[in-house]
């Protein structure tokens, strides 16, 4: 059974803090993704990675960066958290070619 | 215009009824399509892929209409457990792993 885990379910940070969200998958998937989900806006892709050390910008990369040093781990970094980054963050992974994406349980981040 | 558009609902449907909803996509080059289901406060999970010839999985039927650029999901004999948000997904072309999600259609099955 595919498992995607995220480091925290709930996180509260202050404006200006650096925030790290970690995601780990155990199925040797090539592709990993970070989304944020907001009411009325749906899932929006922040960044994705199709290989170790490779990254591609998604639709809303501003204010975020990512790191993929190992195949199973994909980190999302908020360099200086702002209140408009309060959201649900979802990590996903998938095989190549295009296939089902498996999602982690999500991290609800609140920036105050 | 959004790349993938769905009626947000909510659809409130009595148990046992048949319900259908559509999703339109703007990129005519889109190749792969999916329906995901998301329960309240949970992550999305794949419900079914949508093939050109249409496909059926138990009470669920998915159809693709390339000419009109929409996909549909039909749920027969709806159950209380079908209550969820249904997300329509398209991929721009083969080999590109990026999925574009619709904002979802909320379905509530009423006893």
């Amino acid at each position: 059974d595919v498992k995607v885990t995220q480091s925290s379910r709930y996180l509260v940070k202050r404006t200006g803090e650096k925030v790290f969200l970690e995601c780990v998958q155990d199925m040797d998937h090539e592709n990993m993704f970070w989304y944020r989900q907001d009411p009325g806006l749906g899932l929006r892709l922040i960044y994705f990675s199709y290989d170790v050390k490779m990254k591609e910008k998604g639709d809303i990369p501003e204010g975020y960066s990512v790191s993929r040093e190992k195949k199973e781990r994909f980190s999302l970094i908020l360099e200086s958290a702002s209140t408009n980054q309060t959201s649900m963050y979802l990590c996903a992974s998938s095989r190549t070619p295009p296939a089902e994406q498996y999602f982690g349980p999500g991290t609800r981040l609140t920036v105050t | 215009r959004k790349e993938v558009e769905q009626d947000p609902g909510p659809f409130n449907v009595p148990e046992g009824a048949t319900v259908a909803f559509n999703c339109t996509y703007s990129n005519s080059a889109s190749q792969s399509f999916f329906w995901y289901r998301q329960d309240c406060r949970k992550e999305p999970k794949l419900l079914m892929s949508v093939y050109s010839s249409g496909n059926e999985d138990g009470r669920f039927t998915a159809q693709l209409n390339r000419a009109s650029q929409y996909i549909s999901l039909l749920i027969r004999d709806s159950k209380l457990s079908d209550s969820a948000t249904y997300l329509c997904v398209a991929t721009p072309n083969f080999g590109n792993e990026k999925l574009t999600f619709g904002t979802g259609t909320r379905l509530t099955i009423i006893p």
Side-chain angles (χ1 to χ4, degrees):
Chain A
D1 217 18
V2 175
K3 198 157 185 185
V4 181
T5 57
Q6 295 184 227
S7 49
S8 307
R9 292 298 301 272
Y10 300 94
L11 208 53
V12 180
K13 295 291 182 180
R14 293 189 182 274
T15 301
E17 278 193 84
K18 192 167 186 174
V19 182
F20 293 87
L21 302 182
E22 297 277 319
C23 174
V24 178
Q25 50 96 1
D26 66 358
M27 281 300 290
D28 202 36
H29 284 171
E30 294 84 4
N31 310 301
M32 296 188 75
F33 308 82
W34 274 107
Y35 297 88
R36 63 178 283 177
Q37 187 172 32
D38 301 287
L41 297 176
L43 276 162
R44 292 181 291 166
L45 182 65
I46 304 171
Y47 267 97
F48 67 104
S49 168
Y50 51 87
D51 202 352
V52 175
K53 295 193 186 294
M54 305 301 287
K55 60 185 179 184
E56 294 272 349
K57 291 181 181 179
D59 300 315
I60 51 162
E62 297 78 19
Y64 303 94
S65 62
V66 290
S67 171
R68 191 161 180 207
E69 297 296 318
K70 294 185 177 181
K71 191 174 185 180
E72 68 272 17
R73 189 179 296 267
F74 193 34
S75 302
L76 179 70
I77 303 145
L78 286 66
E79 296 290 343
S80 177
S82 63
T83 54
N84 63 11
Q85 292 178 310
T86 290
S87 186
M88 170 67 84
Y89 289 88
L90 287 156
C91 174
S93 71
S94 74
R95 296 195 180 285
T96 297
E100 174 180 2
Q101 286 193 8
Y102 295 85
F103 284 83
T107 296
R108 185 164 293 281
L109 172 67
T110 302
V111 182
T112 61
Chain B
R1 183 185 172 186
K2 290 182 182 174
E3 288 187 55
V4 177
E5 289 203 68
Q6 298 181 248
D7 181 343
F11 285 61
N12 298 315
V13 173
E15 192 176 5
T18 295
V19 59
F21 21 85
N22 290 343
C23 158
T24 59
Y25 60 95
S26 60
N27 186 346
S28 58
S30 296
Q31 295 288 345
S32 301
F33 306 90
F34 308 92
W35 282 102
Y36 276 69
R37 171 197 168 122
Q38 186 172 24
D39 294 310
C40 190
R41 300 185 188 282
K42 297 281 192 178
E43 70 272 23
K45 292 185 179 180
L46 181 70
L47 177 66
M48 56 199 308
S49 302
V50 186
Y51 305 122
S52 296
S53 55
N55 52 309
E56 189 173 311
D57 183 3
R59 297 181 294 107
F60 297 82
T61 301
Q63 298 276 354
L64 168 63
N65 185 316
R66 284 198 182 274
S68 301
Q69 292 185 207
Y70 74 86
I71 67 172
S72 63
L73 179 67
L74 179 82
I75 306 174
R76 287 179 297 277
D77 187 25
S78 53
K79 313 287 184 195
L80 296 177
S81 57
D82 295 333
S83 297
T85 296
Y86 291 84
L87 304 172
C88 168
V89 184
T91 65
N93 45 52
F94 289 125
N96 186 325
E97 316 307 333
K98 181 181 159 184
L99 303 184
T100 301
F101 285 80
T103 53
T105 296
R106 193 150 62 93
L107 173 66
T108 300
I109 305 301
I110 303 163

